[in-house]
PDB file of all heavy atoms in Angstrom:
ATOM      1  N   SER A  34       7.390 -13.120  -1.554  1.00 97.00           N
ATOM      2  CA  SER A  34       7.183 -13.537  -0.168  1.00 97.00           C
ATOM      3  C   SER A  34       6.815 -15.014  -0.066  1.00 97.00           C
ATOM      4  O   SER A  34       7.170 -15.677   0.904  1.00 97.00           O
ATOM      5  CB  SER A  34       6.080 -12.696   0.468  1.00 97.00           C
ATOM      6  OG  SER A  34       6.425 -11.340   0.392  1.00 97.00           O
ATOM      7  N   GLU A  39       7.363 -17.400   3.409  1.00 95.00           N
ATOM      8  CA  GLU A  39       6.469 -18.469   3.864  1.00 95.00           C
ATOM      9  C   GLU A  39       7.189 -19.563   4.656  1.00 95.00           C
ATOM     10  O   GLU A  39       6.654 -20.032   5.660  1.00 95.00           O
ATOM     11  CB  GLU A  39       5.687 -19.069   2.694  1.00 95.00           C
ATOM     12  CG  GLU A  39       4.456 -18.255   2.303  1.00 95.00           C
ATOM     13  CD  GLU A  39       3.371 -18.198   3.387  1.00 95.00           C
ATOM     14  OE1 GLU A  39       3.609 -18.674   4.504  1.00 95.00           O
ATOM     15  OE2 GLU A  39       2.291 -17.671   3.110  1.00 95.00           O
ATOM     16  N   ARG A  82      -2.541 -24.776   5.720  1.00 91.00           N
ATOM     17  CA  ARG A  82      -1.428 -23.854   5.477  1.00 91.00           C
ATOM     18  C   ARG A  82      -1.281 -23.607   3.980  1.00 91.00           C
ATOM     19  O   ARG A  82      -0.931 -22.522   3.547  1.00 91.00           O
ATOM     20  CB  ARG A  82      -0.124 -24.437   6.062  1.00 91.00           C
ATOM     21  CG  ARG A  82      -0.032 -24.360   7.554  1.00 91.00           C
ATOM     22  CD  ARG A  82      -0.062 -22.936   8.082  1.00 91.00           C
ATOM     23  NE  ARG A  82       1.052 -22.139   7.604  1.00 91.00           N
ATOM     24  CZ  ARG A  82       0.977 -20.827   7.386  1.00 91.00           C
ATOM     25  NH1 ARG A  82      -0.152 -20.178   7.575  1.00 91.00           N
ATOM     26  NH2 ARG A  82       2.021 -20.165   6.963  1.00 91.00           N
ATOM     27  N   GLN A  85      -3.533 -20.944   3.010  1.00 94.00           N
ATOM     28  CA  GLN A  85      -3.062 -19.652   3.512  1.00 94.00           C
ATOM     29  C   GLN A  85      -1.871 -19.141   2.711  1.00 94.00           C
ATOM     30  O   GLN A  85      -1.692 -17.939   2.573  1.00 94.00           O
ATOM     31  CB  GLN A  85      -2.730 -19.758   5.001  1.00 94.00           C
ATOM     32  CG  GLN A  85      -3.998 -19.836   5.860  1.00 94.00           C
ATOM     33  CD  GLN A  85      -3.717 -19.733   7.342  1.00 94.00           C
ATOM     34  OE1 GLN A  85      -2.736 -20.295   7.824  1.00 94.00           O
ATOM     35  NE2 GLN A  85      -4.567 -19.036   8.063  1.00 94.00           N
ATOM     36  N   ASN A 147       5.393  -8.706  12.933  1.00 95.00           N
ATOM     37  CA  ASN A 147       5.656  -9.869  13.777  1.00 95.00           C
ATOM     38  C   ASN A 147       5.190 -11.133  13.079  1.00 95.00           C
ATOM     39  O   ASN A 147       4.157 -11.128  12.426  1.00 95.00           O
ATOM     40  CB  ASN A 147       4.936  -9.732  15.117  1.00 95.00           C
ATOM     41  CG  ASN A 147       5.654  -8.783  16.040  1.00 95.00           C
ATOM     42  OD1 ASN A 147       6.883  -8.796  16.129  1.00 95.00           O
ATOM     43  ND2 ASN A 147       4.902  -7.922  16.703  1.00 95.00           N
ATOM     44  N   ARG A 160      -4.085  -2.491  18.973  1.00 95.00           N
ATOM     45  CA  ARG A 160      -2.940  -2.473  18.061  1.00 95.00           C
ATOM     46  C   ARG A 160      -3.341  -1.972  16.679  1.00 95.00           C
ATOM     47  O   ARG A 160      -2.562  -1.296  16.002  1.00 95.00           O
ATOM     48  CB  ARG A 160      -2.324  -3.874  17.973  1.00 95.00           C
ATOM     49  CG  ARG A 160      -1.519  -4.229  19.225  1.00 95.00           C
ATOM     50  CD  ARG A 160      -0.915  -5.612  19.146  1.00 95.00           C
ATOM     51  NE  ARG A 160      -1.917  -6.666  19.244  1.00 95.00           N
ATOM     52  CZ  ARG A 160      -2.062  -7.635  18.359  1.00 95.00           C
ATOM     53  NH1 ARG A 160      -1.270  -7.691  17.312  1.00 95.00           N
ATOM     54  NH2 ARG A 160      -2.997  -8.551  18.511  1.00 95.00           N
ATOM     55  N   GLN A 161      -4.581  -2.316  16.250  1.00 94.00           N
ATOM     56  CA  GLN A 161      -5.034  -1.819  14.946  1.00 94.00           C
ATOM     57  C   GLN A 161      -5.134  -0.298  14.961  1.00 94.00           C
ATOM     58  O   GLN A 161      -4.749   0.367  14.003  1.00 94.00           O
ATOM     59  CB  GLN A 161      -6.390  -2.442  14.595  1.00 94.00           C
ATOM     60  CG  GLN A 161      -6.236  -3.867  14.091  1.00 94.00           C
ATOM     61  CD  GLN A 161      -7.552  -4.557  13.845  1.00 94.00           C
ATOM     62  OE1 GLN A 161      -8.586  -4.179  14.408  1.00 94.00           O
ATOM     63  NE2 GLN A 161      -7.533  -5.582  13.027  1.00 94.00           N
ATOM     64  N   SER A 234       9.794  -8.807   5.667  1.00 97.00           N
ATOM     65  CA  SER A 234       8.576  -8.001   5.611  1.00 97.00           C
ATOM     66  C   SER A 234       8.863  -6.649   4.955  1.00 97.00           C
ATOM     67  O   SER A 234       8.147  -6.211   4.049  1.00 97.00           O
ATOM     68  CB  SER A 234       8.029  -7.802   7.026  1.00 97.00           C
ATOM     69  OG  SER A 234       7.076  -6.770   7.029  1.00 97.00           O
TER      70      SER A 234
ATOM     71  N   ARG B  25     -15.115  16.870 -15.565  1.00 86.00           N
ATOM     72  CA  ARG B  25     -14.503  17.127 -14.256  1.00 86.00           C
ATOM     73  C   ARG B  25     -15.337  16.533 -13.130  1.00 86.00           C
ATOM     74  O   ARG B  25     -14.816  15.898 -12.217  1.00 86.00           O
ATOM     75  CB  ARG B  25     -14.343  18.637 -14.041  1.00 86.00           C
ATOM     76  CG  ARG B  25     -13.102  19.195 -14.663  1.00 86.00           C
ATOM     77  CD  ARG B  25     -13.184  20.711 -14.731  1.00 86.00           C
ATOM     78  NE  ARG B  25     -12.606  21.187 -15.978  1.00 86.00           N
ATOM     79  CZ  ARG B  25     -11.302  21.325 -16.182  1.00 86.00           C
ATOM     80  NH1 ARG B  25     -10.464  21.021 -15.219  1.00 86.00           N
ATOM     81  NH2 ARG B  25     -10.841  21.742 -17.329  1.00 86.00           N
ATOM     82  N   VAL B  48      -7.858  -5.313   8.331  1.00 90.00           N
ATOM     83  CA  VAL B  48      -8.448  -4.907   9.609  1.00 90.00           C
ATOM     84  C   VAL B  48      -9.577  -5.822  10.051  1.00 90.00           C
ATOM     85  O   VAL B  48      -9.728  -6.096  11.236  1.00 90.00           O
ATOM     86  CB  VAL B  48      -8.950  -3.442   9.524  1.00 90.00           C
ATOM     87  CG1 VAL B  48      -9.464  -2.984  10.880  1.00 90.00           C
ATOM     88  CG2 VAL B  48      -7.836  -2.517   9.042  1.00 90.00           C
ATOM     89  N   GLU B  63      -8.676 -15.358   8.209  1.00 88.00           N
ATOM     90  CA  GLU B  63      -7.724 -16.467   8.122  1.00 88.00           C
ATOM     91  C   GLU B  63      -7.141 -16.609   6.716  1.00 88.00           C
ATOM     92  O   GLU B  63      -5.994 -17.037   6.550  1.00 88.00           O
ATOM     93  CB  GLU B  63      -8.391 -17.780   8.556  1.00 88.00           C
ATOM     94  CG  GLU B  63      -8.698 -17.835  10.046  1.00 88.00           C
ATOM     95  CD  GLU B  63      -7.456 -17.664  10.914  1.00 88.00           C
ATOM     96  OE1 GLU B  63      -6.336 -17.880  10.423  1.00 88.00           O
ATOM     97  OE2 GLU B  63      -7.612 -17.302  12.089  1.00 88.00           O
ATOM     98  N   ASP B  67      -1.612 -14.707   6.458  1.00 94.00           N
ATOM     99  CA  ASP B  67      -0.171 -14.595   6.218  1.00 94.00           C
ATOM    100  C   ASP B  67       0.183 -13.214   5.665  1.00 94.00           C
ATOM    101  O   ASP B  67       1.218 -12.645   6.004  1.00 94.00           O
ATOM    102  CB  ASP B  67       0.291 -15.692   5.252  1.00 94.00           C
ATOM    103  CG  ASP B  67       0.295 -17.069   5.925  1.00 94.00           C
ATOM    104  OD1 ASP B  67      -0.387 -17.212   6.952  1.00 94.00           O
ATOM    105  OD2 ASP B  67       0.971 -17.973   5.417  1.00 94.00           O
ATOM    106  N   HIS B  70       0.345 -10.678   8.547  1.00 95.00           N
ATOM    107  CA  HIS B  70       1.600 -10.751   9.296  1.00 95.00           C
ATOM    108  C   HIS B  70       2.734 -10.154   8.475  1.00 95.00           C
ATOM    109  O   HIS B  70       3.526  -9.364   8.970  1.00 95.00           O
ATOM    110  CB  HIS B  70       1.920 -12.204   9.662  1.00 95.00           C
ATOM    111  CG  HIS B  70       1.221 -12.664  10.903  1.00 95.00           C
ATOM    112  ND1 HIS B  70       1.609 -12.258  12.151  1.00 95.00           N
ATOM    113  CD2 HIS B  70       0.165 -13.474  11.087  1.00 95.00           C
ATOM    114  CE1 HIS B  70       0.818 -12.811  13.062  1.00 95.00           C
ATOM    115  NE2 HIS B  70      -0.074 -13.550  12.434  1.00 95.00           N
ATOM    116  N   LEU B  71       2.777 -10.522   7.188  1.00 95.00           N
ATOM    117  CA  LEU B  71       3.911 -10.104   6.377  1.00 95.00           C
ATOM    118  C   LEU B  71       3.938  -8.596   6.175  1.00 95.00           C
ATOM    119  O   LEU B  71       4.998  -7.964   6.231  1.00 95.00           O
ATOM    120  CB  LEU B  71       3.869 -10.808   5.015  1.00 95.00           C
ATOM    121  CG  LEU B  71       5.155 -10.543   4.269  1.00 95.00           C
ATOM    122  CD1 LEU B  71       6.260 -11.399   4.830  1.00 95.00           C
ATOM    123  CD2 LEU B  71       4.994 -10.778   2.801  1.00 95.00           C
ATOM    124  N   CYS B  76      -2.419  -8.697  13.975  1.00 85.00           N
ATOM    125  CA  CYS B  76      -3.167  -9.943  13.854  1.00 85.00           C
ATOM    126  C   CYS B  76      -3.337 -10.488  15.266  1.00 85.00           C
ATOM    127  O   CYS B  76      -2.585 -10.133  16.164  1.00 85.00           O
ATOM    128  CB  CYS B  76      -2.386 -10.924  12.980  1.00 85.00           C
ATOM    129  SG  CYS B  76      -3.423 -11.982  11.987  1.00 85.00           S
ATOM    130  N   HIS B  77      -4.294 -11.363  15.443  1.00 76.00           N
ATOM    131  CA  HIS B  77      -4.506 -11.911  16.780  1.00 76.00           C
ATOM    132  C   HIS B  77      -3.363 -12.851  17.163  1.00 76.00           C
ATOM    133  O   HIS B  77      -2.626 -13.335  16.318  1.00 76.00           O
ATOM    134  CB  HIS B  77      -5.841 -12.624  16.885  1.00 76.00           C
ATOM    135  CG  HIS B  77      -5.984 -13.776  15.938  1.00 76.00           C
ATOM    136  ND1 HIS B  77      -7.168 -14.361  15.651  1.00 76.00           N
ATOM    137  CD2 HIS B  77      -5.087 -14.417  15.195  1.00 76.00           C
ATOM    138  CE1 HIS B  77      -6.991 -15.325  14.791  1.00 76.00           C
ATOM    139  NE2 HIS B  77      -5.740 -15.387  14.489  1.00 76.00           N
TER     140      HIS B  77
END
Side-chain angles (χ1 to χ4, degrees):
Chain A
S34 302
E39 278 295 7
R82 285 298 299 148
Q85 286 189 320
N147 283 319
R160 285 180 289 126
Q161 282 175 337
S234 165
Chain B
R25 276 165 219 280
V48 184
E63 290 302 340
D67 288 20
H70 276 286
L71 189 77
C76 214
H77 60 195

